[in-house]
Amino acid sequence: MGHMDVGAAAGGTVAGEPLAGPGEAERFLAAHPDLEAIEFLITDSNGVLRGKWAPATALKKAFKDGVNFPFSLYGLDVWGREVMETGLHVTTGDRDGYCRAVPGTLRPVPWADRPTAQAILTMHTEHGEAYIGDPRNALARVVGRLAAAGYTACCAIELEFYLLDPKAPPMTNGMPAPVYRATAGPVPQNMYAMSDLSEFSGLFSEIWSHGRAQGLPLDTMVSEAAPGQFEINLKHRPDALAAADDAVMLKRLVCEVARRHGLKATFMAKPFMEVAGNGLHVHVSLLDRHGHNVFADPVTGEKRLGHCVAGLLDTMQAATLLFVPTWNGYRRLQPGSYAPTTASWGYNNRSVGVRIPAGPDEARRLEHRIAGADANPYLVLAGVLAGVLDGLERELTPPPPVVTNAYEEPVPPLPDAMDDAITLFERSDFIRRTFGLEYRSLLAHLKRAEVKAFESEITPLERLTYL
């Protein structure tokens, strides 16, 4: 729910390590001669970070030939179990691919106990082709299509999370309690409360300093809409892949710093039913070949913005599984919760799915508000940018903007259950054109396994009620 700095819409410099280029590994090793270990990071379709620790000597190989990982890594459900229907496991020999380090993602790990670096990897086949099952490769294909059409997406991501205290008495349902100051009376909401930031100033100062050491374009930090909930915003980047990389690294940073402070950070979409859920909001503007914001053009800007909005609305139901990929995420989509429940848009309106924030014309952008914080940033951006491109290519016209409460307007609803979202996803021609038949089937199988697991579970409330 936080506001983005409108001055950041054109991107900006990033502190920390030098930008990517030939010899990146060699330069890093020369600058960090005491380096002992490298953490190789891969984001699977569920947004779960997987990978391995390796000695520093493996760094050059990761940038040149790649590090071996099985393709079946992308056929695991959210619990890390093999989903045989994907066809990526023993039935096909559980083959290896080659994961190469992404230029520009080699960063120090300031919280590590020994000199350590980390790098994001992407999967390639034995023939050197980008593997279709890797979510980052899916985003790269959409970015390539935008570039061919003459556009560069300038993106920023906002992430909400809760800080939980494992040492405090748990809540009645066994859930760890969120951190907040003990007060008399009702549970405080404390939106934008400076006192909450001050109470955890050591933790947030560490996030800030470690983030700068890793070259993350950190922007604002705020106390959010519920006790123990916070939000960190990243600055706009004229590189959608880098923006998604930033989000992956920021989530890891927050979790690791919280752990070192004896707390737990959770990006779970809806950890508490009675208060706000955690969102991942995406801000997007489009730059032309000269680097100008096309939405700010006094002649064609509003029309092209309308095409993009219309494309997002037209593809939103089919793409909801990308934005809300977990069973729990659909609990976040509640009327009145500031989590959108409809394929709607409006100006300066936080009840809609696509919001045009207030601000000067040169910073005109759209804000996509549907994704939960537990979503995979690569798939979220791929879905958003593919919807934008679809609207531009088809020159779609949006419906009138919602000017009041979108929860009460007669606009198309989003799927409110995971099973429905999967059905819309796997029947969508838009998803097929964006991700290909193979990946559409892969993700649908992974998510159906998740649904089956939850539908097979008897909840504590059922036992309490019926036993």
Side-chain angles (χ1 to χ4, degrees):
M1 290 171 59
H3 297 274
M4 293 297 300
D5 178 3
V6 295
T13 59
V14 179
E17 295 301 313
L19 296 178
E24 180 177 353
E26 290 78 6
R27 290 199 308 275
F28 192 95
L29 290 169
H32 301 84
D34 60 341
L35 187 70
E36 295 182 14
I38 178 74
E39 298 176 346
F40 293 127
L41 309 176
I42 304 170
T43 306
D44 74 6
S45 289
N46 300 292
V48 175
L49 270 182
R50 305 193 185 276
K52 63 176 71 171
W53 287 357
T57 52
L59 190 55
K60 293 180 183 178
K61 180 176 185 290
F63 274 88
K64 184 181 179 183
D65 301 320
V67 181
N68 286 34
F69 278 93
F71 292 117
S72 58
L73 181 150
Y74 295 101
L76 304 176
D77 66 14
V78 70
W79 295 282
R81 304 177 306 176
E82 296 177 340
V83 178
M84 293 302 177
E85 291 83 355
T86 62
L88 295 179
H89 302 287
V90 69
T91 54
T92 52
D94 199 13
R95 295 162 36 241
D96 272 348
Y98 303 93
C99 287
R100 297 195 182 98
V102 174
T105 67
L106 178 56
R107 313 289 172 89
V109 181
W111 60 82
D113 293 327
R114 57 176 177 163
T116 303
Q118 68 179 32
I120 291 175
L121 306 183
T122 56
M123 179 71 82
H124 296 75
T125 69
E126 51 265 56
H127 305 297
E129 300 165 341
Y131 176 54
I132 195 170
D134 185 333
R136 194 180 190 279
N137 290 337
L139 175 57
R141 290 192 296 273
V142 177
V143 168
R145 288 176 55 206
L146 270 174
Y151 299 108
T152 297
C154 188
C155 304
I157 290 175
E158 304 173 348
L159 278 166
E160 295 169 340
F161 59 94
Y162 277 89
L163 288 177
L164 309 177
D165 188 354
K167 301 182 296 298
M171 303 178 72
T172 55
N173 59 2
M175 180 77 179
V179 296
Y180 57 89
R181 292 177 292 105
T183 60
V187 174
Q189 188 169 6
N190 271 356
M191 185 182 296
Y192 292 99
M194 294 300 294
S195 57
D196 282 7
L197 289 174
S198 297
E199 188 168 353
F200 299 99
S201 61
L203 182 147
F204 285 104
S205 293
E206 203 167 305
I207 289 173
W208 186 267
S209 62
H210 289 351
R212 287 187 61 81
Q214 290 195 312
L216 293 178
L218 299 179
D219 196 10
T220 55
M221 301 179 180
V222 300
S223 172
E224 254 297 338
Q229 188 186 36
F230 299 90
E231 178 184 89
I232 297 180
N233 298 337
L234 291 158
K235 294 180 181 178
H236 282 71
R237 297 261 249 163
D239 181 339
L241 287 159
D245 293 337
D246 291 340
V248 168
M249 289 190 280
L250 175 60
K251 290 174 76 170
R252 184 166 194 250
L253 168 61
V254 169
C255 290
E256 291 293 339
V257 171
R259 182 177 58 81
R260 294 181 72 86
H261 282 255
L263 303 174
K264 179 178 178 60
T266 180
F267 293 87
M268 181 178 177
K270 191 70 171 178
F272 308 104
M273 281 302 297
E274 66 277 12
V275 291
N278 290 321
L280 184 163
H281 298 166
V282 178
H283 289 247
V284 177
S285 57
L286 289 183
L287 309 181
D288 63 18
R289 298 186 192 277
H290 305 288
H292 300 142
N293 183 353
V294 301
F295 298 156
D297 187 285
V299 178
T300 63
E302 194 68 23
K303 183 177 181 180
R304 284 193 278 188
L305 177 62
H307 292 333
C308 294
V309 168
L312 288 172
L313 299 184
D314 191 60
T315 60
M316 192 172 286
Q317 292 174 317
T320 296
L321 186 65
L322 303 172
F323 311 137
V324 190
T326 64
W327 178 270
N328 173 258
Y330 292 86
R331 298 184 183 276
R332 173 177 161 266
L333 305 183
Q334 300 291 329
S337 66
Y338 292 101
T341 61
T342 58
S344 55
W345 79 288
Y347 293 93
N348 199 17
N349 185 340
R350 283 190 169 87
S351 68
V352 298
V354 179
R355 169 178 173 253
I356 311 304
D361 289 344
E362 61 268 22
R364 180 63 62 88
R365 64 196 186 277
L366 58 85
E367 178 192 13
H368 193 276
R369 298 175 52 79
I370 296 168
D374 54 0
N376 184 320
Y378 301 112
L379 294 181
V380 171
L381 276 182
V384 170
L385 297 183
V388 161
L389 186 57
D390 197 64
L392 286 167
E393 290 177 340
R394 297 164 59 197
E395 297 186 349
L396 298 179
T397 301
V402 174
V403 296
T404 54
N405 184 352
Y407 300 111
E408 299 176 353
E409 291 290 321
V411 287
L414 299 178
D416 60 2
M418 192 175 182
D419 199 45
D420 295 335
I422 295 170
T423 298
L424 290 167
F425 177 87
E426 63 184 350
R427 293 178 180 175
S428 168
D429 185 63
F430 163 73
I431 296 297
R432 179 194 62 78
R433 288 185 283 111
T434 301
F435 296 94
L437 280 171
E438 182 180 339
Y439 193 74
R440 186 177 71 173
S441 174
L442 171 64
L443 190 62
H445 281 309
L446 293 179
K447 293 304 166 181
R448 286 214 182 278
E450 189 171 331
V451 169
K452 183 178 180 181
F454 278 101
E455 289 180 341
S456 302
E457 182 76 15
I458 298 175
T459 67
L461 179 59
E462 286 178 82
R463 291 194 174 95
L464 180 65
T465 304
Y466 302 118
L467 194 61

